[in-house]
Amino acid sequence: QVQLVESGGGLVQAGGSLRLSCAASGIIFSIYAMGWHRQAPGKQRELVATISSVGNTNYADSVKGRFTISRDNAKNTMYLEMNSLKPEDTAVYYCYAVRLGVPNPHYYWGQGTQVTVSS
């Protein structure tokens, strides 16, 4: 059974930092691409950052230079370091895992973790 469990969310003041973690089980973690999405109240879910199985990263323009995605294959865990947080970063953050390069790739999702940035 595949499980993705996010942690590290919370309440922080604008300008502060948080580190989200996504612990995976039930998959061969090292061959999966991973990423983070977020969904703010009343808004569509949006891509935040991705990291390939070999460590290539990609970021939404809104978080470039402030957020850093990384992974530790030995710990089956992905991270999102968030610095210089803004109130508009407030959202539920979801991690996902997907094995690319196969027919009909399936996305696995975590349950989400709330990030609230106060002004």
Side-chain angles (χ1 to χ4, degrees), residues 1-7 20-25 27 29 32-39 45 76 78 91-98 106-114:
Q1 181 181 1
V2 178
Q3 277 195 315
L4 299 177
V5 180
E6 301 101 333
S7 61
L20 305 184
S21 299
C22 174
S25 60
I27 59 173
F29 183 82
Y32 275 71
M34 308 284 293
W36 294 92
H37 282 220
R38 68 186 180 186
Q39 187 164 20
R45 190 175 292 197
N76 286 2
M78 174 182 62
V92 178
Y93 285 70
Y94 299 91
C95 68
Y96 72 85
V98 60
H106 179 78
Y107 284 75
Y108 297 100
W109 292 92
Q111 81 288 349
T113 187
Q114 177 71 47

Side-chain angles (χ1 to χ4, degrees), residues 38 46-50 58-67:
R38 68 186 180 186
E46 64 175 353
L47 178 70
V48 176
T50 66
N58 191 35
Y59 297 92
D61 288 343
S62 59
V63 306
K64 277 181 183 176
R66 300 188 298 121
F67 290 11

